[in-house]
Amino acid sequence: MKTHTKECVGQALSNAFSRRRFLKAMAASGALACLPGALLRPLTAEAGIVYEGDYQTFRNACPRNCYDTCSIKSYVKDGVLQFIEGAQESTYTRGGLCVKGYAYTRRPYEPTRVKYPMEQQGRGSGNWKRLSWDEAMDKIARKVLEMQEKDGNLLGLGMTKYSGNFGITNYVVEGMMSSLGYTTRFTGTPCWPAGIDAQNYDLGNMWCNDPEDFPDARYVILWGVNPAWCSVHSMKYIYAARDRGAKIVAIDPVMTQTAAKADEYWQVKTSADGALALGMARHILDQGLVDRDWVDNNSVGFEEFASYLRNNVTVDWAAELSGVPAERIKAVAEEFATAKPATIWIGYGMQRHVNGGATVRAVDALVAMTGNVGKVGGGARYGHLQTWGFNYHAMLQKQPEGAKGVPGKTEVKGDFHFTGDQGEVSYSDRILNINKTAQEILDAQDPPVRMLWVSCKNPFSQDFDRNKMQKAFDKLEMVVTVDNFFNQTVEQSDIVLPVTTLFEEWTINASYWHYWLSINEQAIKPMYEAKSNIEIAAALSKKMNELSPGSCTFPTEVDTKEWMVKEFNQNIYDQFGLESWEDLREGPRKMKLASSASWSTLEFGTPSKKYEFKSELCAEHGHKALPEWKEPREPNAKLRLLTPHTKFAIHSQFNNIDWMQEFNPRPYVYLNPQTASERGIDDGDTVRVFNDLGEVTIQAKLTSILPADTIMMYEAWFHANPYNCQNLVDDTAADMGSYKTGQPGVAIHDQFADVARV
Ligand SMILES: Nc1nc2c(c(=O)[nH]1)N[C@H]1C(S)=C(S)[C@@H](COP(=O)(O)OP(=O)(O)OC[C@H]3O[C@@H](n4cnc5c(=O)[nH]c(N)nc54)[C@H](O)[C@@H]3O)O[C@H]1N2
Ligand SMILES: Nc1nc2c(c(=O)[nH]1)N[C@H]1C(S)=C(S)[C@@H](COP(=O)(O)OP(=O)(O)OC[C@H]3O[C@@H](n4cnc5c(=O)[nH]c(N)nc54)[C@H](O)[C@@H]3O)O[C@H]1N2
Ligand code: SF4
Ligand SMILES: [Mo]
């Protein structure tokens, strides 16, 4: 505390000041409001410290798993973060953040933050006792050594980490595990794996156009994506496309805010998009609107695809399955095929289905058969990892001499397998599926998962089947969670360790959507006793080596900034035209793109080097070679349940912060008035949403944005509120994902439930 006197005194002031700014910015122009630059005095620099008037300024970046990965400029006075704005230098961020982003000023100072290492007397009791760092590390290290002693290896130590903070240095959590030995890792991703595999089969990689070239499109289909909430900065490009004459079509079972802005909206039946895409493809074929030139020169398997369409697909069939009128399917198919360039933004929501990968392949095919792949303003846009070629030094740590694990080398499945493969090894980690975390913990034997290390991850809120997760946690002998807040997983942990917020550490942030790179400078000192994930690894190593010399290879003294610098390499410098990483202190940089179009050379990454309408590799992996229709999941309750992402939170983050609660104080289940009246439910009634897995008691909100067969709750964590949609969401796998991410995706939107008045 001593070192933070100034911050703490400044805190009340700071927050009163910046809260007013926050509300003003919100009021000014919605989500993209930016702060008035005229208030700021000119820039002066001394000894690497940048001042604007009385404020010291810093470069930061939003590290959440958001398309936008905003570049942030932060203003600090007397060691206190006063306010932030979107960086002006990035044409993508263009000076503005989202409603959540503006609340960042509050995050370091939020009163409910985890401030010290603490131990809970009985999981779920809320009876927390403060520990010193030394005491916390001692308890953890002794447990690690006990497992090593008992099992002869560390496979009893499990680690789960995902998208709490995607700063490159946070891969240190994996590195810390490797430095202890061969451990159990939960791998895979709930975000986008089915679509990644689909794009790999079709194109040979996942690679999207620069979103800043949307204005060049003459036709834009937003398919199962909600950028008005999930990628707010992309909307300006979509509006720009429309201003230049493009038509915008949105396809979603929910009339989202994105759909509300479109020129045409299709309320597709959930999980029926594959049929819709194939119906459009059949009509394009029948009308002779296939781009023969493109297809002949750049693809394989089109004739087989065409004959599949002729024999199995009709527009009427597609209309019946999807609920979209046949004449609209025909009209939009014709418009799409003739407007050049035309593009489709394929959302992640659409592929979280048992047929999600097959659906993405059918949508890719529409873009390819109309010759729109490789074109500026065109493309089947899904995501990319072009700007992520860092050293992953923090991640690639060496196991201690003599460490044992799973015999043999792990078959490295997919590009996302981050276990620090060290070349010739006789042992490897035990790999479990992150999308079935609860089941995997329940099933793991010899040894069982005894201890779980949770970092940048909130399994109780974000993983699937909460009742099963509770049973799984009951099996664990020790749970350590590293977090900023006392979230629902911390509630079920034995020890919590306080971690820095983005303003308190150094890191680097890249995007999976746009092509900008940002540095994240330390702008304020760590609050209370928070440490960065790198410092936590060093502290653990120190204790491990004290108790048992040689038991951990991680350095015991670290400097987070130096570790950030170690992540850069010449390729990154060349890619972004940087002399040194320090150039990023002047502002974010954009990759030097040969073209804004992905695949502009039309040399694809597939085995044939062409676009593959027919993929033998896909067939080898147990799917259809062609992008055929795949049946959806059988309903197991009366209504379909959707739990998509909300405007006011990223998963379990933001919404717990007091400022955000002013915007979004409570959760609701949303239902169509007809669904409600059939059940005698009025707006505002307390209802029970239930299925075989569990139930949620919640207030009802009636809305006509949903069809009558669907109910919806947004995934989110409300501080001091037991709400959790995972009581109702199971861990059924999506069809694809194993090829590139090592694990299949998860059918988050193939869920069913019913609702009744309490
Ligand atoms: N029902 C349903 N479930 C879903 C989804 C859905 O649509 N519906 N979406 C899925 C998707 S796409 C995703 S990406 C996942 C996301 O799920 P998670 O990966 O769990 O992501 P978050 O909830 O954003 O963050 C997890 C935790 O990281 C913490 N954190 C933040 N910064 C740091 C840091 O610097 N260090 C450490 N150690 N911790 C930090 C946060 O406080 C938070 O408690 O959820 C999935 N689950
Ligand atoms: N505000 C905010 N922004 C975010 C996030 C957040 O939680 N909040 N999360 C970030 C992360 S981790 C991710 S993965 C992305 C996700 O970004 P998006 O993919 O845009 O968001 P989702 O809510 O996952 O799903 C998008 C839409 O898919 C629809 N959908 C579901 N099933 C189907 C279907 O069968 N067919 C069709 N056509 N549509 C369907 C849903 O109704 C939803 O409107 O956003 C990122 N940005
Ligand atoms: S959540 Fe997304 S839009 Fe908001 S500040 Fe972060 S990166 Fe930007
Ligand atoms: Mo995600």
Side-chain angles (χ1 to χ4, degrees), residues 225-236:
V225 66
N226 186 10
W229 285 8
C230 293
S231 181
V232 293
H233 293 81
S234 292
M235 290 304 282
K236 61 179 174 289

Side-chain angles (χ1 to χ4, degrees), residues 88-107:
Q88 298 286 351
E89 295 84 354
S90 160
T91 46
Y92 184 83
T93 304
R94 210 171 64 186
L97 302 172
C98 71
V99 62
K100 309 176 292 302
Y102 281 119
Y104 266 137
T105 332
R106 181 64 166 167
R107 193 172 171 113

Side-chain angles (χ1 to χ4, degrees), residues 63-136:
R64 311 278 92 92
N65 185 2
C66 174
Y67 283 96
D68 292 11
T69 309
C70 287
S71 306
I72 297 175
K73 194 165 173 189
S74 309
Y75 294 80
V76 172
K77 200 169 158 189
D78 299 331
V80 177
L81 181 67
Q82 302 286 345
F83 59 94
I84 61 171
E85 62 181 355
Q88 298 286 351
E89 295 84 354
S90 160
T91 46
Y92 184 83
T93 304
R94 210 171 64 186
L97 302 172
C98 71
V99 62
K100 309 176 292 302
Y102 281 119
Y104 266 137
T105 332
R106 181 64 166 167
R107 193 172 171 113
Y109 309 111
E110 225 285 343
T112 59
R113 211 180 142 176
V114 180
K115 302 180 177 76
Y116 319 104
M118 294 188 114
E119 184 178 32
Q120 187 168 214
Q121 316 295 313
R123 284 184 211 154
S125 69
N127 186 8
W128 289 96
K129 185 180 116 227
R130 184 171 167 184
L131 299 176
S132 67
W133 270 101
D134 191 65
E135 287 167 324

Side-chain angles (χ1 to χ4, degrees), residues 352-354 633 729-734 745-751:
R352 298 193 187 112
H353 291 275
V354 298
R633 186 178 183 190
V729 178
D730 73 18
D731 61 3
T732 297
V746 54
I748 295 174
H749 295 310
D750 282 334
Q751 305 292 328

